[in-house]
Amino acid sequence: MTSLVPGAGLLPIPTSSPLTTVSSLGVSLSSLGAIPAAALDPNITTLGEIPQPPLMGNVDPSKIDEIRRTVYVGNLNSQTTTADQLLEFFKQVGEVKFVRMAGDETQPTRFAFVEFADQNSVPRALAFNGVMFGDRPLKINHSNNAIVKPPEMTPQAAAKELEEVMKRVREAQSFISAAIEPGWLHSTSLCNDFLGCF
């Protein structure tokens, strides 16, 4: 099941085919400057060993695989580019695991990170460097970091959070019920808690 995960355009793995068009978004891949997957250099698609740049600084060893499957995508139009469009665009080179929009939305350009399910998709994505995406040429490079993802919630944590939310709902219902009963202004606790004493 595909659903949007909160967090600035972070998307889970879609279940549709990697060559699906963006017709549901009302945008064609060709209008975004997409090159059909068949037009990619066949040598890129058959690479066994993928050359990688050296990792920067102190990298968490558990994140190395994620970093190696992630590309940086820069020079995106802040006003018109969405995470959904990037997801659809990069699905043509491989299964996309996550897309994360980043940068200041008020600036003319933003950037994003795209994480693939497989490292073999990275060289195919790098082949799109310089391709027009809307009105700007894409700047695609290896990523130096993994996408920051929201923490996964255990069933116990989810149950506790739901219990706390329901407690707040019951409290709000009690206050609303007390407020609509006749003579509610004479209630000292409501007067002190919400209205102040007048």
Side-chain angles (χ1 to χ4, degrees):
M1 178 167 84
T2 302
S3 61
L4 186 63
V5 176
L10 185 63
L11 302 172
I13 298 173
T15 57
S16 60
S17 164
L19 295 175
T20 314
T21 65
V22 283
S23 58
S24 62
L25 298 172
V27 178
S28 71
L29 286 174
S30 60
S31 69
L32 295 173
I35 299 171
L40 292 174
D41 183 350
N43 295 327
I44 291 176
T45 60
T46 60
L47 288 176
E49 185 63 30
I50 301 166
Q52 297 283 344
L55 294 171
M56 306 294 284
N58 296 332
V59 176
D60 180 354
S62 68
K63 299 288 185 187
I64 291 174
D65 182 55
E66 288 179 41
I67 294 169
R68 297 295 192 208
R69 292 184 283 114
T70 304
V71 294
Y72 162 89
V73 183
N75 200 33
L76 301 171
N77 186 319
S78 294
Q79 303 304 309
T80 60
T81 304
T82 67
D84 288 331
Q85 288 173 332
L86 288 174
L87 173 70
E88 291 299 324
F89 183 82
F90 283 102
K91 282 182 356 182
Q92 65 185 319
V93 299
E95 182 181 349
V96 176
K97 192 166 182 180
F98 290 98
V99 172
R100 180 95 192 213
M101 297 294 291
D104 187 349
E105 293 177 12
T106 64
Q107 297 299 312
T109 61
R110 293 179 73 188
F111 60 97
F113 294 95
V114 178
E115 180 183 327
F116 294 97
D118 185 333
Q119 283 188 32
N120 290 323
S121 299
V122 170
R124 292 191 298 266
L126 293 171
F128 284 99
N129 186 45
V131 168
M132 293 298 290
F133 189 83
D135 62 342
R136 299 180 188 274
L138 292 175
K139 297 203 184 292
I140 303 173
N141 295 303
H142 290 277
S143 179
N144 292 326
N145 50 349
I147 294 176
V148 177
K149 301 173 184 87
E152 291 188 24
M153 196 175 280
T154 64
Q156 295 83 5
K160 184 176 179 179
E161 184 176 312
L162 180 60
E163 182 180 322
E164 291 172 9
V165 167
M166 292 306 296
K167 180 181 173 186
R168 284 184 259 149
V169 167
R170 286 190 294 275
E171 289 172 357
Q173 287 174 333
S174 295
F175 286 124
I176 291 169
S177 295
I180 59 175
E181 289 181 13
W184 67 277
L185 284 176
H186 301 293
S187 170
T188 307
S189 66
L190 282 176
C191 178
N192 290 336
D193 290 343
F194 290 108
L195 304 174
C197 294
F198 41 107

